Amino acid sequence: MIEMMLYTALVLFGVSIAIALFRIIFGPSLPDRVVALDMIGVHLISAIAIISLILGTKSFLEVILILGVLAFIGTIVFSKYIERGVVIERKRDL
Amino acid sequence: MNVSVIFEFIAALMILVGSIISVISALGIIRFPDVYTRSHAAAKSSTLAVLLTLSGTFLYFWASESLISVRLILGILFVFITAPVACHLIIRAAYRSNVKMSNLTIEDELKDVLRDKEQ
């Protein structure tokens, strides 16, 4: 019963990642794509949590933390690139 | 029926509810008309889905192996803090780089403050 529920949840997360992939491919603007990319990162975290439950190991729990940090920093960098046009500003005139 | 079996069932139920909420959030991201409403679907319900799933994982490990995983608590707190912040920043960048709203938008209150100052 519990195995069946876990596999169903994994399949549903795969479906939602596939739908977000559709938005990345056909998104009309760049922030659409970044929103969908952030959503894929967040859903991948929970898919990895379910995989670590199914395999019965504790070794994937570091992956959750590091993937969360990387998805957050990637979204921050993309938002700065969209707003300013560069990622690292070299000259600043204050 | 043992107590740990009941807690494992509750944890699996939380994970299943989280996955259903994630599918609803994906439907929102494909059906809404412009980027501002899509961010509504992508930030709130997606965060709720991930929090339910990670809490279910934490409860499952606690019930089955009597393990309190500090890394999982850190992951829950980090996702809970950073996912709305990231979505707010990307929508702020989208508004400042003049992404068009949909035709159904009634009012834009930031327009008087922001657009007139630039001109």
Side-chain angles (χ1 to χ4, degrees), chain B residues 9-32:
Chain B
F9 185 76
I10 291 173
L13 200 64
M14 281 170 74
I15 291 174
L16 195 62
V17 170
S19 67
I20 291 171
I21 290 175
S22 95
V23 170
I24 293 171
S25 135
L27 281 182
I29 214 172
I30 208 172
R31 289 277 298 171
F32 277 150

PDB file of all heavy atoms in Angstrom, chain B residues 9-32:
ATOM      1  N   PHE B   9       1.998   5.370   7.351  1.00  0.00           N
ATOM      2  CA  PHE B   9       0.861   5.593   6.458  1.00  0.00           C
ATOM      3  C   PHE B   9       0.516   7.080   6.373  1.00  0.00           C
ATOM      4  O   PHE B   9       0.227   7.598   5.294  1.00  0.00           O
ATOM      5  CB  PHE B   9      -0.347   4.788   6.948  1.00  0.00           C
ATOM      6  CG  PHE B   9      -1.522   4.868   6.036  1.00  0.00           C
ATOM      7  CD1 PHE B   9      -1.544   4.150   4.853  1.00  0.00           C
ATOM      8  CD2 PHE B   9      -2.595   5.682   6.341  1.00  0.00           C
ATOM      9  CE1 PHE B   9      -2.618   4.229   4.001  1.00  0.00           C
ATOM     10  CE2 PHE B   9      -3.673   5.775   5.492  1.00  0.00           C
ATOM     11  CZ  PHE B   9      -3.688   5.043   4.320  1.00  0.00           C
ATOM     12  N   ILE B  10       0.569   7.778   7.522  1.00  0.00           N
ATOM     13  CA  ILE B  10       0.290   9.220   7.511  1.00  0.00           C
ATOM     14  C   ILE B  10       1.333   9.960   6.672  1.00  0.00           C
ATOM     15  O   ILE B  10       1.009  10.867   5.893  1.00  0.00           O
ATOM     16  CB  ILE B  10       0.246   9.749   8.955  1.00  0.00           C
ATOM     17  CG1 ILE B  10      -0.978   9.213   9.677  1.00  0.00           C
ATOM     18  CG2 ILE B  10       0.197  11.276   8.981  1.00  0.00           C
ATOM     19  CD1 ILE B  10      -0.995   9.546  11.138  1.00  0.00           C
ATOM     20  N   ALA B  11       2.609   9.542   6.791  1.00  0.00           N
ATOM     21  CA  ALA B  11       3.676  10.186   6.017  1.00  0.00           C
ATOM     22  C   ALA B  11       3.477   9.962   4.527  1.00  0.00           C
ATOM     23  O   ALA B  11       3.626  10.891   3.718  1.00  0.00           O
ATOM     24  CB  ALA B  11       5.029   9.642   6.462  1.00  0.00           C
ATOM     25  N   ALA B  12       3.112   8.728   4.134  1.00  0.00           N
ATOM     26  CA  ALA B  12       2.876   8.455   2.715  1.00  0.00           C
ATOM     27  C   ALA B  12       1.672   9.233   2.197  1.00  0.00           C
ATOM     28  O   ALA B  12       1.677   9.706   1.048  1.00  0.00           O
ATOM     29  CB  ALA B  12       2.678   6.956   2.501  1.00  0.00           C
ATOM     30  N   LEU B  13       0.676   9.411   3.061  1.00  0.00           N
ATOM     31  CA  LEU B  13      -0.497  10.201   2.656  1.00  0.00           C
ATOM     32  C   LEU B  13      -0.121  11.664   2.445  1.00  0.00           C
ATOM     33  O   LEU B  13      -0.583  12.313   1.480  1.00  0.00           O
ATOM     34  CB  LEU B  13      -1.576  10.083   3.721  1.00  0.00           C
ATOM     35  CG  LEU B  13      -2.997  10.427   3.286  1.00  0.00           C
ATOM     36  CD1 LEU B  13      -3.426   9.447   2.238  1.00  0.00           C
ATOM     37  CD2 LEU B  13      -3.927  10.384   4.463  1.00  0.00           C
ATOM     38  N   MET B  14       0.758  12.204   3.316  1.00  0.00           N
ATOM     39  CA  MET B  14       1.220  13.584   3.131  1.00  0.00           C
ATOM     40  C   MET B  14       1.985  13.723   1.818  1.00  0.00           C
ATOM     41  O   MET B  14       1.829  14.715   1.091  1.00  0.00           O
ATOM     42  CB  MET B  14       2.109  14.009   4.298  1.00  0.00           C
ATOM     43  CG  MET B  14       1.352  14.389   5.541  1.00  0.00           C
ATOM     44  SD  MET B  14       2.437  14.591   6.939  1.00  0.00           S
ATOM     45  CE  MET B  14       3.194  16.137   6.540  1.00  0.00           C
ATOM     46  N   ILE B  15       2.810  12.727   1.488  1.00  0.00           N
ATOM     47  CA  ILE B  15       3.572  12.782   0.240  1.00  0.00           C
ATOM     48  C   ILE B  15       2.630  12.729  -0.954  1.00  0.00           C
ATOM     49  O   ILE B  15       2.802  13.462  -1.942  1.00  0.00           O
ATOM     50  CB  ILE B  15       4.600  11.634   0.205  1.00  0.00           C
ATOM     51  CG1 ILE B  15       5.676  11.890   1.233  1.00  0.00           C
ATOM     52  CG2 ILE B  15       5.215  11.495  -1.152  1.00  0.00           C
ATOM     53  CD1 ILE B  15       6.636  10.771   1.378  1.00  0.00           C
ATOM     54  N   LEU B  16       1.591  11.918  -0.871  1.00  0.00           N
ATOM     55  CA  LEU B  16       0.637  11.802  -1.987  1.00  0.00           C
ATOM     56  C   LEU B  16      -0.131  13.109  -2.181  1.00  0.00           C
ATOM     57  O   LEU B  16      -0.299  13.574  -3.320  1.00  0.00           O
ATOM     58  CB  LEU B  16      -0.318  10.657  -1.707  1.00  0.00           C
ATOM     59  CG  LEU B  16      -1.128  10.161  -2.898  1.00  0.00           C
ATOM     60  CD1 LEU B  16      -0.189   9.643  -3.942  1.00  0.00           C
ATOM     61  CD2 LEU B  16      -2.085   9.094  -2.481  1.00  0.00           C
ATOM     62  N   VAL B  17      -0.562  13.725  -1.067  1.00  0.00           N
ATOM     63  CA  VAL B  17      -1.270  15.015  -1.168  1.00  0.00           C
ATOM     64  C   VAL B  17      -0.347  16.086  -1.757  1.00  0.00           C
ATOM     65  O   VAL B  17      -0.762  16.906  -2.593  1.00  0.00           O
ATOM     66  CB  VAL B  17      -1.804  15.414   0.218  1.00  0.00           C
ATOM     67  CG1 VAL B  17      -2.323  16.836   0.205  1.00  0.00           C
ATOM     68  CG2 VAL B  17      -2.913  14.495   0.632  1.00  0.00           C
ATOM     69  N   GLY B  18       0.933  16.060  -1.356  1.00  0.00           N
ATOM     70  CA  GLY B  18       1.888  17.012  -1.916  1.00  0.00           C
ATOM     71  C   GLY B  18       2.072  16.848  -3.396  1.00  0.00           C
ATOM     72  O   GLY B  18       2.153  17.832  -4.137  1.00  0.00           O
ATOM     73  N   SER B  19       2.098  15.597  -3.882  1.00  0.00           N
ATOM     74  CA  SER B  19       2.266  15.389  -5.329  1.00  0.00           C
ATOM     75  C   SER B  19       1.025  15.836  -6.089  1.00  0.00           C
ATOM     76  O   SER B  19       1.139  16.398  -7.189  1.00  0.00           O
ATOM     77  CB  SER B  19       2.573  13.929  -5.613  1.00  0.00           C
ATOM     78  OG  SER B  19       1.455  13.153  -5.301  1.00  0.00           O
ATOM     79  N   ILE B  20      -0.167  15.635  -5.503  1.00  0.00           N
ATOM     80  CA  ILE B  20      -1.388  16.104  -6.178  1.00  0.00           C
ATOM     81  C   ILE B  20      -1.392  17.634  -6.257  1.00  0.00           C
ATOM     82  O   ILE B  20      -1.736  18.222  -7.296  1.00  0.00           O
ATOM     83  CB  ILE B  20      -2.627  15.559  -5.436  1.00  0.00           C
ATOM     84  CG1 ILE B  20      -2.721  14.065  -5.627  1.00  0.00           C
ATOM     85  CG2 ILE B  20      -3.889  16.205  -5.957  1.00  0.00           C
ATOM     86  CD1 ILE B  20      -3.775  13.412  -4.775  1.00  0.00           C
ATOM     87  N   ILE B  21      -0.946  18.317  -5.177  1.00  0.00           N
ATOM     88  CA  ILE B  21      -0.877  19.779  -5.204  1.00  0.00           C
ATOM     89  C   ILE B  21       0.146  20.242  -6.234  1.00  0.00           C
ATOM     90  O   ILE B  21      -0.043  21.254  -6.910  1.00  0.00           O
ATOM     91  CB  ILE B  21      -0.563  20.297  -3.790  1.00  0.00           C
ATOM     92  CG1 ILE B  21      -1.758  20.072  -2.898  1.00  0.00           C
ATOM     93  CG2 ILE B  21      -0.283  21.790  -3.799  1.00  0.00           C
ATOM     94  CD1 ILE B  21      -1.503  20.442  -1.480  1.00  0.00           C
ATOM     95  N   SER B  22       1.220  19.480  -6.414  1.00  0.00           N
ATOM     96  CA  SER B  22       2.215  19.880  -7.423  1.00  0.00           C
ATOM     97  C   SER B  22       1.651  19.766  -8.831  1.00  0.00           C
ATOM     98  O   SER B  22       1.959  20.605  -9.693  1.00  0.00           O
ATOM     99  CB  SER B  22       3.470  19.039  -7.281  1.00  0.00           C
ATOM    100  OG  SER B  22       3.442  17.949  -8.149  1.00  0.00           O
ATOM    101  N   VAL B  23       0.814  18.759  -9.087  1.00  0.00           N
ATOM    102  CA  VAL B  23       0.185  18.656 -10.408  1.00  0.00           C
ATOM    103  C   VAL B  23      -0.776  19.816 -10.634  1.00  0.00           C
ATOM    104  O   VAL B  23      -0.846  20.393 -11.728  1.00  0.00           O
ATOM    105  CB  VAL B  23      -0.510  17.294 -10.563  1.00  0.00           C
ATOM    106  CG1 VAL B  23      -1.356  17.258 -11.816  1.00  0.00           C
ATOM    107  CG2 VAL B  23       0.509  16.211 -10.637  1.00  0.00           C
ATOM    108  N   ILE B  24      -1.497  20.230  -9.564  1.00  0.00           N
ATOM    109  CA  ILE B  24      -2.396  21.380  -9.687  1.00  0.00           C
ATOM    110  C   ILE B  24      -1.598  22.643  -9.995  1.00  0.00           C
ATOM    111  O   ILE B  24      -1.994  23.463 -10.832  1.00  0.00           O
ATOM    112  CB  ILE B  24      -3.222  21.536  -8.395  1.00  0.00           C
ATOM    113  CG1 ILE B  24      -4.177  20.369  -8.245  1.00  0.00           C
ATOM    114  CG2 ILE B  24      -4.003  22.814  -8.405  1.00  0.00           C
ATOM    115  CD1 ILE B  24      -4.873  20.328  -6.928  1.00  0.00           C
ATOM    116  N   SER B  25      -0.434  22.793  -9.341  1.00  0.00           N
ATOM    117  CA  SER B  25       0.407  23.962  -9.605  1.00  0.00           C
ATOM    118  C   SER B  25       0.951  23.948 -11.026  1.00  0.00           C
ATOM    119  O   SER B  25       1.054  25.002 -11.669  1.00  0.00           O
ATOM    120  CB  SER B  25       1.532  23.991  -8.586  1.00  0.00           C
ATOM    121  OG  SER B  25       2.742  24.258  -9.174  1.00  0.00           O
ATOM    122  N   ALA B  26       1.266  22.748 -11.563  1.00  0.00           N
ATOM    123  CA  ALA B  26       1.732  22.665 -12.950  1.00  0.00           C
ATOM    124  C   ALA B  26       0.611  23.019 -13.923  1.00  0.00           C
ATOM    125  O   ALA B  26       0.850  23.677 -14.948  1.00  0.00           O
ATOM    126  CB  ALA B  26       2.265  21.269 -13.237  1.00  0.00           C
ATOM    127  N   LEU B  27      -0.613  22.621 -13.590  1.00  0.00           N
ATOM    128  CA  LEU B  27      -1.752  23.034 -14.429  1.00  0.00           C
ATOM    129  C   LEU B  27      -1.911  24.549 -14.411  1.00  0.00           C
ATOM    130  O   LEU B  27      -2.207  25.170 -15.435  1.00  0.00           O
ATOM    131  CB  LEU B  27      -3.041  22.380 -13.934  1.00  0.00           C
ATOM    132  CG  LEU B  27      -3.246  20.930 -14.339  1.00  0.00           C
ATOM    133  CD1 LEU B  27      -4.578  20.456 -13.824  1.00  0.00           C
ATOM    134  CD2 LEU B  27      -3.203  20.803 -15.820  1.00  0.00           C
ATOM    135  N   GLY B  28      -1.682  25.162 -13.235  1.00  0.00           N
ATOM    136  CA  GLY B  28      -1.751  26.617 -13.148  1.00  0.00           C
ATOM    137  C   GLY B  28      -0.694  27.272 -14.002  1.00  0.00           C
ATOM    138  O   GLY B  28      -0.945  28.291 -14.646  1.00  0.00           O
ATOM    139  N   ILE B  29       0.506  26.684 -14.036  1.00  0.00           N
ATOM    140  CA  ILE B  29       1.573  27.320 -14.800  1.00  0.00           C
ATOM    141  C   ILE B  29       1.346  27.160 -16.300  1.00  0.00           C
ATOM    142  O   ILE B  29       1.903  27.912 -17.098  1.00  0.00           O
ATOM    143  CB  ILE B  29       2.941  26.759 -14.372  1.00  0.00           C
ATOM    144  CG1 ILE B  29       3.990  27.844 -14.457  1.00  0.00           C
ATOM    145  CG2 ILE B  29       3.426  25.664 -15.253  1.00  0.00           C
ATOM    146  CD1 ILE B  29       5.281  27.428 -13.891  1.00  0.00           C
ATOM    147  N   ILE B  30       0.505  26.225 -16.698  1.00  0.00           N
ATOM    148  CA  ILE B  30       0.275  26.093 -18.137  1.00  0.00           C
ATOM    149  C   ILE B  30      -0.997  26.806 -18.566  1.00  0.00           C
ATOM    150  O   ILE B  30      -1.154  27.140 -19.731  1.00  0.00           O
ATOM    151  CB  ILE B  30       0.236  24.599 -18.525  1.00  0.00           C
ATOM    152  CG1 ILE B  30       0.688  24.438 -19.949  1.00  0.00           C
ATOM    153  CG2 ILE B  30      -1.133  24.017 -18.406  1.00  0.00           C
ATOM    154  CD1 ILE B  30       0.848  23.006 -20.309  1.00  0.00           C
ATOM    155  N   ARG B  31      -1.896  27.138 -17.648  1.00  0.00           N
ATOM    156  CA  ARG B  31      -3.185  27.688 -18.048  1.00  0.00           C
ATOM    157  C   ARG B  31      -3.306  29.197 -17.875  1.00  0.00           C
ATOM    158  O   ARG B  31      -4.117  29.828 -18.530  1.00  0.00           O
ATOM    159  CB  ARG B  31      -4.307  27.041 -17.221  1.00  0.00           C
ATOM    160  CG  ARG B  31      -4.569  25.623 -17.568  1.00  0.00           C
ATOM    161  CD  ARG B  31      -5.466  25.499 -18.754  1.00  0.00           C
ATOM    162  NE  ARG B  31      -6.771  26.086 -18.502  1.00  0.00           N
ATOM    163  CZ  ARG B  31      -7.683  26.263 -19.424  1.00  0.00           C
ATOM    164  NH1 ARG B  31      -7.428  25.917 -20.666  1.00  0.00           N
ATOM    165  NH2 ARG B  31      -8.852  26.790 -19.128  1.00  0.00           N
ATOM    166  N   PHE B  32      -2.510  29.799 -16.995  1.00  0.00           N
ATOM    167  CA  PHE B  32      -2.688  31.217 -16.706  1.00  0.00           C
ATOM    168  C   PHE B  32      -2.167  32.086 -17.850  1.00  0.00           C
ATOM    169  O   PHE B  32      -1.264  31.683 -18.577  1.00  0.00           O
ATOM    170  CB  PHE B  32      -1.988  31.570 -15.394  1.00  0.00           C
ATOM    171  CG  PHE B  32      -2.807  31.260 -14.183  1.00  0.00           C
ATOM    172  CD1 PHE B  32      -2.218  30.924 -12.995  1.00  0.00           C
ATOM    173  CD2 PHE B  32      -4.183  31.324 -14.242  1.00  0.00           C
ATOM    174  CE1 PHE B  32      -2.967  30.645 -11.882  1.00  0.00           C
ATOM    175  CE2 PHE B  32      -4.949  31.051 -13.129  1.00  0.00           C
ATOM    176  CZ  PHE B  32      -4.330  30.710 -11.949  1.00  0.00           C
TER     177      PHE B  32
END
